[in-house]
Amino acid sequence: MSWKSSNTKVATVSETGKVTAKGPGTCKITATANDGSKKKATCTITVTEDEVSVSGLNYKLDHKAKTATVTGAAKTSVTSIRIPEAVKANKKNYKVTGIADKAFKGLKKLASVTIGKAVTAIGKNAFSSCANLKKIVIKTKLLKASTVGANAFKGVYSRVTVTCPKGMLKTYKALLLKKGLTKKAVFKE
C-alpha cells in the first residue's frame, strides 16, 4: 500500500498510513494498492486551526493559552484512551488541560482511561454511559468539585477501579462519587 497527500501543508501521511495535521485547510489522502490492481481509495481531510485529531483523539486548541481540550475519540470503537499531558499540533506544543462535555459519552467498547497530569477540568457527561469502562487511572492532582461536571462518570461499570495520585484518594473518592460513580467503585492509590 502506498499513501499520498494532495497538500502536505495541510496534512502528511506516513508509509503506514498515519495522518498528521500540519495546518488549516483541506486535502485528499489517497491509498493505492501495490499489488498491480491499481485500486485506490481516497478520503478528504479538513484541518481547522482550532480543531485537530492526534493519535486517535480530537482536540480543540486555544492558541493564546497554548492549551488543548479533548473533545472526543476519532473512532467510536475505541477500547482504551490515554489523555496525554501535552499534544503537538501545527508544530506547537499544547498542554492538555480539559475534557469537554460529552467527549466520550456512550462509547460502548471503552474499557480503560488514563487522565493526564495537566487536566484541570472534566466536562458534564464526559464519560457517561460508558458501561464497559472498568479502569480509570487519574494522574492529575488538579481536579476540584467545581471543575468536574455533573454526571461525568454516570453509567460507567459499577465496580470500576479508580487509581488516584498519591495523597488524593480520599478527596477524589468523595468527588467522583458525587459525579456519577457508584459506591461499588474500587478506589486505590
Side-chain angles (χ1 to χ4, degrees):
M1 189 76 60
S2 62
W3 299 87
K4 183 178 178 184
S5 171
S6 66
N7 186 345
T8 56
K9 290 182 180 179
V10 174
T12 59
V13 61
S14 72
E15 293 175 2
T16 60
K18 180 179 178 184
V19 177
T20 303
K22 294 295 184 178
T26 301
C27 71
K28 292 186 185 295
I29 302 295
T30 304
T32 305
N34 291 337
D35 62 1
S37 67
K38 296 186 181 180
K39 289 185 178 180
K40 291 184 178 184
T42 303
C43 72
T44 302
I45 302 288
T46 300
V47 178
T48 63
E49 193 148 349
D50 293 332
E51 295 182 25
V52 295
S53 184
V54 179
S55 299
L57 293 177
N58 300 326
Y59 298 91
K60 181 171 178 139
L61 305 176
D62 180 335
H63 300 290
K64 208 174 220 181
K66 292 208 174 55
T67 60
T69 298
V70 182
T71 59
K75 294 182 180 179
T76 58
S77 60
V78 67
T79 59
S80 179
I81 291 173
R82 186 187 155 279
I83 298 169
E85 187 173 346
V87 65
K88 189 170 188 170
N90 305 327
K91 299 180 183 178
K92 296 177 184 163
N93 287 319
Y94 295 85
K95 188 186 287 189
V96 181
T97 59
I99 301 169
D101 292 353
K102 301 179 184 177
F104 304 106
K105 182 178 181 176
L107 294 184
K108 303 286 184 221
K109 295 182 179 182
L110 184 60
S112 72
V113 171
T114 299
I115 299 172
K117 287 183 180 182
V119 173
T120 59
I122 299 174
K124 293 182 279 186
N125 297 299
F127 297 97
S128 67
S129 303
C130 294
N132 284 319
L133 183 54
K134 296 179 181 175
K135 179 182 175 187
I136 301 170
V137 176
I138 303 173
K139 293 187 173 186
T140 183
K141 291 184 174 185
L142 306 172
L143 298 175
K144 300 174 186 168
S146 61
T147 64
V148 177
N151 300 319
F153 296 95
K154 186 174 184 168
V156 303
Y157 180 67
S158 64
R159 295 174 197 247
V160 63
T161 299
V162 181
T163 304
C164 303
K166 198 167 190 136
M168 299 300 291
L169 180 68
K170 186 177 178 183
T171 302
Y172 279 3
K173 182 175 182 178
L175 169 64
L176 298 178
L177 287 173
K178 291 178 184 175
K179 301 301 180 174
L181 292 184
T182 70
K183 292 180 181 180
K184 293 179 182 177
V186 177
F187 290 84
K188 62 183 187 176
E189 285 186 317

